Amino acid sequence: MILTKAQYDEIAQCLVSVPPTRQSLRKLKQRFPSQSQATLLSIFSQEYQKHIKRTHAKHHTSEAIESYYQRYLDGVGRNGAAPVLLELANEVDYAPSLMARIILERFLQEHKETPPSKSVINSMLRDPSQIPDGVLANQVYQCIVNDCCYGPLVDCIKHAIGHEHEVLLRDLLLEKNLSFLDEDQLRAKGYDKTPDFILQVPVVMLCPLAVEGHIIHWIESKASFGDECSHHAYLHDQFWSYWNRFGPGLVIYWYGFIQELDCNRERGILLEAGFPTDIVTLCHGRASP
């Protein structure tokens, strides 16, 4: 789904005053019925992450942490079964999983002789049964399963979706009888920063493709929506590095992108919202349908 900047801004504006809940996502789908659920979810998640980054510091002052911890203790003291942490996170407009991390770290600081390591915290968030307090373990669990933008559960889902689309792209390349090297093969050859797939033929290392008159040497899969913030970061951290090393390439944003961002075609970075249907190998003619 390719959106104009104006269309994207309209969706983003609707997210300014809504909490990051599944109910909010359903309302967003009702407001924009022509947009796919996956596209809206990606935009929803990205906009909320921008908001969290902007407000992160105020939730991590010593005063804020002590206030949240005391409110947690007071809340579970009254009713340990109530979703105290989840309600606190929603009240102060902070991601439930991140609020759970704050309280867990503060709890362990109070009950352990040495400060907890990051790996210990991460392990407990992935498996709350490791937390040495049953009430807190339940509170953390409620935050993790009800957070649709942050936390270990969301990270696992994002990783699985990213892998699924890389497999899809691999299958499409195989269907077209296109030779390629994948990321693992390239790293085995000593490359450190690589796209998902480099296109090749047996007789030469790289076999470029013609896509709408443009030659591409590599393809990168992104199981997300390409907004300004993420795309500019990818350009800086990944795409231009690929271009410098391998030549022109194609980025597939499976959940769409802002149309105006596709402005580097002549320089050698193309954007698509799916696998191109009309591709011609320069060595063998039109690829198999």
Side-chain angles (χ1 to χ4, degrees), residues 106-123:
R106 179 64 181 81
F107 172 86
L108 293 176
Q109 288 170 4
E110 185 173 285
H111 293 82
K112 298 288 185 180
E113 293 182 0
T114 57
S117 66
K118 185 176 181 180
S119 63
V120 168
I121 296 293
N122 290 339
S123 180

Side-chain angles (χ1 to χ4, degrees), residues 162-178:
H163 179 69
E164 176 186 354
H165 283 82
E166 288 180 17
V167 172
L168 171 62
L169 179 54
R170 175 191 293 272
D171 290 344
L172 289 168
L173 291 171
L174 291 173
E175 286 179 12
K176 297 290 185 180
N177 295 317
L178 301 175

Side-chain angles (χ1 to χ4, degrees), residues 18-287:
V18 300
T21 64
R22 293 174 179 83
Q23 183 180 7
S24 296
L25 183 60
R26 285 193 291 270
K27 291 181 179 178
L28 191 66
K29 178 60 177 174
Q30 293 172 358
R31 174 69 177 79
F32 300 97
S34 63
Q35 308 299 336
S36 74
Q37 183 87 354
T39 294
L40 291 175
L41 177 57
S42 184
I43 295 173
F44 181 83
S45 177
Q46 289 168 331
E47 286 299 310
Y48 185 65
Q49 289 172 14
K50 293 175 194 174
H51 168 72
I52 291 298
K53 289 177 181 177
R54 288 193 298 266
T55 60
H56 175 81
K58 75 175 186 178
H59 296 290
H60 283 263
T61 65
S62 57
E63 294 82 4
I65 292 172
E66 290 305 314
S67 173
Y68 296 157
Y69 188 59
Q70 191 58 54
R71 291 181 63 180
Y72 160 74
L73 292 176
D74 292 343
V76 297
R78 289 190 298 270
N79 184 357
V84 175
L85 267 188
L86 183 60
E87 292 177 352
L88 175 59
N90 290 335
E91 180 184 333
V92 301
D93 194 16
Y94 199 48
S97 293
L98 301 183
M99 177 60 74
R101 177 182 287 274
I102 288 175
I103 301 304
L104 177 58
E105 288 179 347
R106 179 64 181 81
F107 172 86
L108 293 176
Q109 288 170 4
E110 185 173 285
H111 293 82
K112 298 288 185 180
E113 293 182 0
T114 57
S117 66
K118 185 176 181 180
S119 63
V120 168
I121 296 293
N122 290 339
S123 180
M124 288 182 176
L125 290 172
R126 287 193 298 268
D127 179 11
S129 68
Q130 298 178 20
I131 298 172
D133 179 90
V135 173
L136 179 56
N138 183 55
Q139 294 287 327
V140 169
Y141 173 79
Q142 292 177 21
C143 287
I144 298 300
V145 299
N146 284 286
D147 195 327
C148 57
C149 295
Y150 280 93
L153 181 59
V154 171
D155 290 342
C156 287
I157 293 171
K158 287 182 177 179
H159 178 77
I161 292 173
H163 179 69
E164 176 186 354
H165 283 82
E166 288 180 17
V167 172
L168 171 62
L169 179 54
R170 175 191 293 272
D171 290 344
L172 289 168
L173 291 171
L174 291 173
E175 286 179 12
K176 297 290 185 180
N177 295 317
L178 301 175
S179 299
F180 59 83
L181 292 174
D182 62 25
E183 195 172 16
D184 291 336
Q185 292 170 313
L186 288 165
R187 286 180 176 168
K189 290 178 176 290
Y191 293 104
D192 54 350
K193 188 175 289 188
T194 68
D196 291 318
F197 298 97
I198 293 287
L199 305 173
Q200 64 161 189
V201 293
V203 290
V204 293
M205 181 178 178
L206 298 177
C207 177
L209 303 184
V211 179
E212 296 178 358
H214 297 273
I215 296 173
I216 64 172
H217 296 266
W218 52 267
I219 304 179
E220 177 75 4
S221 170
K222 294 296 182 188
S224 62
F225 182 88
D227 65 2
E228 287 180 293
C229 183
S230 62
H231 182 64
H232 289 151
Y234 286 139
L235 279 171
H236 179 269
D237 297 335
Q238 297 180 355
F239 303 157
W240 287 124
S241 295
Y242 302 161
W243 181 87
N244 283 328
R245 177 167 288 181
F246 303 111
L250 168 67
V251 179
I252 300 178
Y253 282 111
W254 295 100
Y255 298 148
F257 57 89
I258 296 175
Q259 186 176 38
E260 287 84 343
L261 296 178
D262 191 18
C263 57
N264 291 301
R265 286 180 169 254
E266 296 305 320
R267 296 181 64 188
I269 295 180
L270 291 74
L271 305 185
E272 293 286 345
F275 192 80
T277 57
D278 187 17
I279 57 177
V280 178
T281 63
L282 297 184
C283 300
H284 296 292
R286 186 174 300 275

